[in-house]
Amino acid sequence: MPDSSMLAPRLRAVAIAFLVLACLAAPALTAVPAASATASAGDRFEVMRYGDTGWRVRVLQSRLHQLGLHSEVITSRFDAATRAGVRTFQARRAWEVTGRVDKRTWRKLVAVTEKPTTEALHNVYTPGPAILKPGDSGWKVRQLQARLKQVRWYDGKVTGDYGDSTVAAVKGFQKKRRIPVTGEVDRRTLDRLHAMTREPTKAELFNIVPSGPRLDPRCTTGRVLCIDKTSRSLRWVVDGKVLEGFDVRFGSDELPTREGSFAVYRKSRDHVSSLYDTPMPYAMFFSGGQAVHYSPDFAATGYNGASHGCVNVRDYAGIRWLFDRVRIGDRVIIYWS
């Protein structure tokens, strides 16, 4: 039997060797998972898409607003307006237009914008210096009244005098859009109003009731979207009375807008084309895939472009108003006068 005094040193040597090996192996065993986890965390990005909600969406909307691609009002809901802003951001860079915020889109958006302020993220606004205020008069007030009339906040005559009715209209416009309600027009109020309206016409500025070209006889009875290709106009007619009119744009020679008598068979407030993957807000379909709808491209470029066959409207406030009044089954007459 071996002497215990000889075994003790051997056991100590084995134990020390084992501890040395364990220490050498430990970093190798732990380093790989740690590095792998770090790389995985860095590559991870949760795509934001239509229907999402939460704080990330608030930040997204605020950054889009800095580029003029979203309203100043932050909602934390990835809605159609947010998707349209993302699509435009992607299209400007000739990227695939998906309307979804992937890592590439997010990194570029962060790079070209500033970190949103707490006030911006919580819709906390302070009034700016007054550009127009009660008691003012002149051409700028006349334009203000005409634009307020386009969005149906001002219903009096355009006079150029900033009186009580103009104050009430401005307050209503501000309250609806969560702008500090002062009744005075600051830069924020004016920018928002300009974004929603078009340059007033002479008829709007001087209370001239436009007669326009003669209505097609088919437009003189019932409820009709009367669309004249010659004058490039759409008139909403009820029982022979023209209640509202809009500038419109049609399809190209390759994709023309059909002519004839139709009826509205479907309405879609936040429609997106399944064929062209483009937004078609306030779409009122009358023939296959052709519809009357708002076109941001028409609003931005005018008659330099064309639709894919639809009837484009560039008055956002107007088409929204019209959409709420048109019913399924209302007639659509498209003709040359």
Side-chain angles (χ1 to χ4, degrees):
M1 188 173 189
D3 188 350
S4 59
S5 62
M6 296 176 63
L7 287 174
R10 291 178 183 178
L11 291 173
R12 283 197 299 270
V14 171
I16 292 171
F18 178 79
L19 289 172
V20 170
L21 289 173
C23 290
L24 291 173
L29 291 172
T30 58
V32 173
S36 179
T38 302
S40 175
D43 291 339
R44 192 183 305 122
F45 180 85
E46 187 176 348
V47 174
M48 285 182 277
R49 51 173 55 85
Y50 181 80
D52 286 352
T53 58
W55 185 257
R56 295 173 74 221
V57 178
R58 294 184 78 85
V59 177
L60 167 66
Q61 291 174 337
S62 187
R63 288 186 181 274
L64 286 172
H65 168 68
Q66 293 178 35
L67 302 176
L69 300 177
H70 193 276
S71 165
E72 189 176 19
V73 178
I74 305 305
T75 65
S76 75
R77 185 178 65 257
F78 200 126
D79 54 11
T82 308
R83 180 174 58 190
V86 173
R87 287 174 183 271
T88 302
F89 181 81
Q90 293 169 331
R92 287 177 179 176
R93 287 153 182 82
W95 294 351
E96 182 184 4
V97 178
T98 65
R100 297 186 297 274
V101 181
D102 55 12
K103 184 194 293 187
R104 181 192 190 192
T105 302
W106 179 250
R107 282 182 171 175
K108 186 63 177 179
L109 182 61
V110 170
V112 298
T113 57
E114 297 179 354
K115 182 179 179 181
T117 64
T118 301
E119 290 77 9
L121 291 170
H122 291 88
N123 299 312
V124 178
Y125 310 133
T126 55
I131 298 173
L132 293 170
K133 59 185 184 301
D136 288 347
S137 61
W139 181 251
K140 290 184 178 180
V141 177
R142 189 176 286 273
Q143 290 180 313
L144 168 68
Q145 292 171 331
R147 287 182 182 272
L148 286 168
K149 203 162 188 175
Q150 288 179 22
V151 290
R152 293 171 178 80
W153 279 109
Y154 183 78
D155 57 7
K157 284 188 173 295
V158 175
T159 62
D161 296 321
Y162 204 130
D164 292 342
S165 57
T166 306
V167 171
V170 170
K171 283 185 174 181
F173 179 83
Q174 291 171 328
K175 183 177 180 180
K176 177 74 174 179
R177 282 144 195 92
R178 305 184 199 176
I179 298 171
V181 180
T182 63
E184 298 179 345
V185 178
D186 60 2
R187 174 52 57 189
R188 178 182 286 111
T189 304
L190 194 60
D191 286 349
R192 190 74 58 80
L193 181 61
H194 278 224
M196 295 181 61
T197 57
R198 52 175 167 73
E199 190 69 26
T201 64
K202 180 179 179 181
E204 291 171 327
L205 290 167
F206 295 96
N207 307 294
I208 301 170
V209 179
S211 56
R214 187 164 52 183
L215 292 173
D216 184 284
R218 294 171 292 179
C219 297
T220 56
T221 58
R223 300 163 56 86
V224 191
L225 291 169
C226 194
I227 302 170
D228 185 353
K229 283 191 168 183
T230 303
S231 62
R232 296 190 289 193
S233 65
L234 181 158
R235 285 173 285 180
W236 171 233
V237 186
V238 178
D239 296 330
K241 182 179 180 180
V242 178
L243 300 183
E244 193 58 84
F246 306 93
D247 297 330
V248 291
R249 184 177 72 172
F250 304 102
S252 63
D253 292 338
E254 293 76 19
L255 296 168
T257 303
R258 302 180 189 107
E259 298 153 23
S261 179
F262 311 94
V264 175
Y265 71 87
R266 181 190 176 196
K267 295 172 63 180
S268 179
R269 187 176 296 271
D270 297 315
H271 193 77
V272 176
S273 171
S274 58
L275 184 60
Y276 300 104
D277 197 32
T278 54
M280 298 169 55
Y282 303 106
M284 294 169 277
F285 290 90
F286 59 84
S287 177
Q290 295 194 355
V292 176
H293 68 84
Y294 173 72
S295 168
D297 180 70
F298 182 31
T301 64
Y303 292 100
N304 291 327
S307 74
H308 294 104
C310 289
V311 179
N312 290 166
V313 178
R314 59 182 171 186
D315 181 348
Y316 184 85
I319 190 68
R320 181 176 57 188
W321 176 89
L322 182 64
F323 183 90
D324 290 337
R325 283 154 181 79
V326 170
R327 304 169 186 165
I328 300 297
D330 285 349
R331 286 184 299 140
V332 179
I333 305 297
I334 304 177
Y335 66 100
W336 294 93
S337 62

